Amino acid sequence: MFKSVLVANRGEIACRVFRTARRMGIRTIAVYSEADAKALHVREADEAVLIGPAAARESYLDAGKVLAAAKATGAEAIHPGYGFLSENADFAEAVMAAGIIWIGAPPAAIRAMGLKDAAKTLMIAAGVPVTPGYMGEDQSPDRLKAEADVIGYPVLIKAVAGGGGKGMRRVDAADAFLDALASCQREAASSFGDDRVLIEKYILSPRHIEVQVFGDAHGEVVHLFERDCSLQRRHQKVIEEAPAPGMDAATRAAVTAAAVKAAKAVNYVGAGTIEFIADGTEGLRADRIWFMEMNTRLQVEHPVTEAITGVDLVEWQFRAAAGEPVPLKQADIAMTGWAMEARLYAEDPANGFLPSIGKLEHFVLPEPSPLRGEGWVGVEAPLLVEVRETPAESPRPTRSSLPPPHPPTPSPSRGRGASLRIDTGVEEGGEVSQFYDPMIAKLIVHAETREEAAEGLAEACAGVEVWPVRTNAGFLVRCLEHPRFIAGDVDTGFIGAEEASLAAARPSTKTTAAALATVGLRADEALRANELSPWTDGLFAFRMNGEPHTPVVLYRNGERVEGLLSGDYRGGAPRHSTFDVHLEGEAYQAIGTPAYVFVDGEQVSGADTGDGRVVVFEEGDAFEFSPRLRGGSGSGTASDGALRAPMPGKIVATPAKPGDTVTKGQPVVVLEAMKMEHALVAPFDGVVGEVAFAVGDQVAADAVLATVEGSD
Ligand code: ADP
């Protein structure tokens, strides 16, 4: 076995690979860009080499710099993680030519599977069923459209060099084909430097089933069962699980055998994944699953396979790269229980899922509980039953009598018996930058049954507290608790169909009460001290212990919320009209420190932004309340009708022109940033005032791209 490994990657996957290396006594070497100088993966490594500026092209994607770093540090092996250079056959060859061990797929296999059209042709020859479609040389729009017409709508246009769900468009009718083709080619050219596409029959009620395979240099290939990754948003995986719900023995035998055949056809070595698409209209059936593509690398969702099989796939990768045989025979690979993974993205579901960048001022993830069978380690704010039945009379708890903010308290409510693993590459105080993928963590739960796994994962996601960066944690909770998901009845269109109910949530009355009481208390403190403070904004002559019922007004997303507060907080219990709210000490502390607010005896987590706003965390969401009505700057749309760039990027389309009448939700400007196209939509019905930029323009974060004027 080699004694040192360089990971040519960043974030959670770099940290993940280091973990196994450390356990095996292998020296760990990180590479990093200027933007990542303080990143977790750099600090976790034994050694780290700066390889260039923030832009991936000049650092993580620069093969020469990565190789130079390996030589300078004497790295014996290179693990590429996923993304970046992991499926770059030229890089793999250069690594091996330099006498360094490549912990990845053989270059020939990467090439054979690299382009979707060539891979499909190869699979047809190997006798693996593939999705019907067109994958010819002739790329003229007329020919492509004619082929789509023959295949029959709906069809899917796919970039042949595509990956990660990018460069794909579903087309439902002939007249929409050419526009979709142009947009797909644009994205393909800018993301993959190759605008060629193929056309596939769009499978109805599609389910994404993939098989983990593993090969060694001695010709052996085994599988480690399947994963179901059907819960996707715009073809990007959101929640993955293993095994697949509703998979029967015959279908599993067929799909795993096809996967092994596919891997053998390219003499595969190491960890790989064969992706299939299944027509789920009548459940999973052996004759309705088709090969889609092979990913010649470790997959983001590999932890669910590790959970059900007990195999450390990174250790297997190390062993295969060192020339060892596959550690287990097929017959000895067994599966127990159910595993589920949720991808935590820095994005704002309530605002079109725009990526959210910035400093992680407050970043709290639930406590992992690596031991199975020990009982679920919950993170829900503990119920302090003894604290406040009648808050006005019971003694006020002192801070020292309170539990730490996130104690590992067994929760009787959800997900008992599940264990939690968290793979992350960020921490509080770190940055989510515009330069890299917005996935900041993965939460993985393993339990005996699917129901327990789903409950445990919902519980874990509900415990995520992040601010001011937005995340999809609340959205994940709602997906996991949706009756269709619980029933195992999900295809890749689920999120699209249910997006309205899944994307945005409203705070509960309890959360609102906590915010009102906190702000009321703050204002009272400021007034007593005779200070001008952001807290007193909009609170005219407020006195907590003055009038018996003092109104407090706050705004959330431009919406007014109010409450009546009464009581003397020094006596310990200001009261919301319906809730008994107990505020301990200074209520919410500044960002990063514990908060103690109890509503009806239940602790509510939150943070104070220091500028008059208060953030309350509830079920994965971060609800922000402000004493003042403000335009939501930086969030893409504002109440004043200005559409601002949420991050730097390039204008790729301007579907609306000045003077056009638009309805709420209609795209006005399309921005390409972080390799994705983002439509900025009209915040309300109105008329487009100005469109400030043209297609091709680079824009800075916060630039006003267009304005919409209300039509009243
Ligand atoms: P990528 O390489 O970008 O991940 P894939 O080819 O693996 O692209 O497809 C990604 C997702 O797109 C699949 O998981 C599936 O949800 C959807 N998809 C792909 N092909 C089809 C198809 N023919 N019909 C319906 N959905 C499809």
Side-chain angles (χ1 to χ4, degrees), residues 131-321:
T131 353
Y134 170 77
M135 32 188 188
E137 289 288 307
D138 187 349
Q139 291 281 313
S140 65
D142 288 348
R143 173 69 189 271
L144 291 168
K145 168 139 190 320
E147 293 289 346
D149 292 345
V150 171
I151 295 165
Y153 296 91
V155 297
L156 194 64
I157 310 174
K158 282 188 186 179
V160 301
K166 285 165 201 151
M168 239 185 300
R169 296 288 182 281
R170 174 183 165 156
V171 187
D172 288 311
D175 59 3
F177 184 86
L178 291 173
D179 281 349
L181 177 65
S183 145
C184 184
Q185 287 171 326
R186 213 160 48 215
E187 194 170 296
S190 88
S191 296
F192 315 110
D194 182 343
D195 70 356
R196 284 176 304 145
V197 299
L198 58 83
I199 319 270
E200 268 178 19
K201 173 100 198 129
Y202 189 88
I203 307 299
L204 290 174
S205 209
R207 280 179 62 182
H208 176 116
I209 305 289
E210 59 182 36
V211 176
Q212 176 72 54
V213 292
F214 202 94
D216 64 25
H218 314 283
E220 176 72 351
V221 176
V222 297
H223 72 81
L224 293 97
F225 308 105
E226 80 280 1
R227 294 183 285 257
D228 187 330
C229 314
S230 299
L231 203 100
Q232 305 182 343
R233 189 180 161 269
R234 296 223 204 142
H235 306 305
Q236 290 222 49
K237 297 164 185 166
V238 176
I239 291 171
E240 302 102 341
E241 61 186 300
M247 176 71 84
D248 60 42
T251 310
R252 176 170 295 132
V255 75
T256 53
V260 169
K261 204 193 275 183
K264 282 191 168 155
V266 292
N267 302 315
Y268 200 72
V269 179
T273 293
I274 316 286
E275 296 189 333
F276 296 88
I277 187 154
D279 173 342
T281 44
E282 292 172 43
L284 293 175
R285 285 179 36 175
D287 60 349
R288 294 207 187 157
I289 297 194
W290 301 275
F291 170 87
M292 212 162 31
E293 65 166 350
M294 178 170 191
N295 290 326
T296 50
R297 53 170 161 82
L298 191 67
Q299 205 93 326
V300 174
E301 59 274 22
H302 74 277
V304 293
T305 299
E306 295 186 324
I308 60 161
T309 60
V311 166
D312 179 337
L313 283 168
V314 174
E315 177 183 339
W316 279 31
Q317 285 189 299
F318 286 178
R319 296 195 181 284

